[in-house]
Amino acid sequence: MKRADIIELFSRLRELNPHPKTELVYTTPFELLVAVVLSAQATDVGVNKATKKLYPVANTPQAILALGEDGLKKYISTIGLFNAKAKNVIALCRLLIEQHHGEVPRSRAELEALPGVGRKTANVVLNTAFGEPTIAVDTHIFRVANRTGLAPGKDVRAVEDKLEKVVPTEFKLDAHHWLILHGRYVCKARKPDCPNCVIRDLCRYKDKTV
């Protein structure tokens, strides 16, 4: 996709949604971190339902550690892979207390060293909690980047690296949210809503829906 088209693409997405935000509900970097860990292979809606009950009871590493693995499972049992996630969150809380004074670290390396935290989760936390211009590539962004021709790549890391190069600086902070929301509600997996897409004329997808 040409640079002029990329600028136009993000200009339109920005006009549609000037201040995009994550759909995960949180009030602190720690709450966001836990929510993102829980959201792997789960919906934001499902995670929000669980954390709405969990966070009033325990929303710090110390409080969640006090719940213990079994205590935590009671709150997140409606989320997929909750057994593994409970184990990771407890281990994550322990490490935050032992190595970071209970605070969420602000570096990628330190975030990725936490249990259950991969590159995508680290990017979300760096971007959403700390205002870093990182782009976390999930299935929605991977699909949009490839379909539109914005940043085609064979895997998520290839797409992320391409996006880092092609997204203009002025759009980088919010690019992650614009692309994920576009993929979630317009450029859907099974049947993209091309007739109602604001970037349809810029998109290189050959099988546009009518």
Side-chain angles (χ1 to χ4, degrees):
M1 192 177 282
K2 295 175 184 176
R3 181 168 175 79
D5 288 345
I6 292 172
I7 291 171
E8 180 63 21
L9 180 152
F10 283 107
S11 295
R12 292 181 192 179
L13 293 178
R14 179 172 63 186
E15 187 177 348
L16 202 65
N17 187 358
H19 305 290
K21 291 183 175 67
T22 179
E23 293 187 319
L24 290 169
V25 177
Y26 74 98
T27 57
T28 65
F30 175 72
E31 286 187 0
L32 176 67
L33 174 62
V34 171
V36 179
V37 170
L38 295 177
S39 73
Q41 294 178 292
T43 65
D44 287 0
V45 172
V47 171
N48 289 339
K49 284 181 180 176
T51 57
K52 186 178 181 181
K53 295 176 182 177
L54 170 65
Y55 288 160
V57 175
N59 71 337
T60 65
Q62 295 84 353
I64 288 182
L65 202 56
L67 278 180
E69 206 172 308
D70 289 336
L72 178 58
K73 284 180 187 177
K74 292 175 184 176
Y75 290 96
I76 66 170
S77 60
T78 53
I79 300 172
L81 308 174
F82 73 92
N83 284 313
K85 289 175 181 177
K87 188 175 182 178
N88 279 335
V89 170
I90 291 296
L92 175 156
C93 289
R94 189 172 287 115
L95 264 183
L96 287 179
I97 293 166
E98 290 173 357
Q99 298 181 9
H100 303 286
H101 309 290
E103 298 294 323
V104 177
R106 298 183 69 141
S107 80
R108 179 191 300 286
E110 289 174 316
L111 282 167
E112 288 188 27
L114 297 171
V117 178
R119 186 176 180 86
K120 184 185 79 173
T121 298
N123 275 336
V124 172
V125 173
L126 288 170
N127 178 270
T128 306
F130 300 129
E132 298 286 338
T134 54
I135 300 174
V137 179
D138 69 348
T139 53
H140 297 299
I141 294 178
F142 183 78
R143 181 173 64 252
V144 172
N146 276 288
R147 265 188 189 164
T148 60
L150 170 65
K154 291 183 178 179
D155 54 50
V156 291
R157 184 58 193 271
V159 168
E160 182 189 332
D161 290 344
K162 192 77 178 286
L163 286 168
E164 287 290 344
K165 290 178 183 176
V166 303
V167 177
T169 305
E170 68 170 301
F171 300 112
K172 253 186 186 161
L173 183 62
D174 293 319
H176 160 78
H177 289 118
W178 283 319
L179 294 174
I180 196 171
L181 293 170
H182 188 70
R184 187 173 285 166
Y185 297 110
V186 182
C187 196
K188 294 174 277 192
R190 291 185 181 178
K191 189 181 180 183
D193 188 9
C194 300
N196 290 309
C197 176
V198 295
I199 56 171
R200 178 178 178 167
D201 57 314
L202 304 171
C203 173
R204 295 181 182 176
Y205 186 49
K206 292 177 182 176
D207 302 312
K208 290 187 176 77
T209 57
V210 179

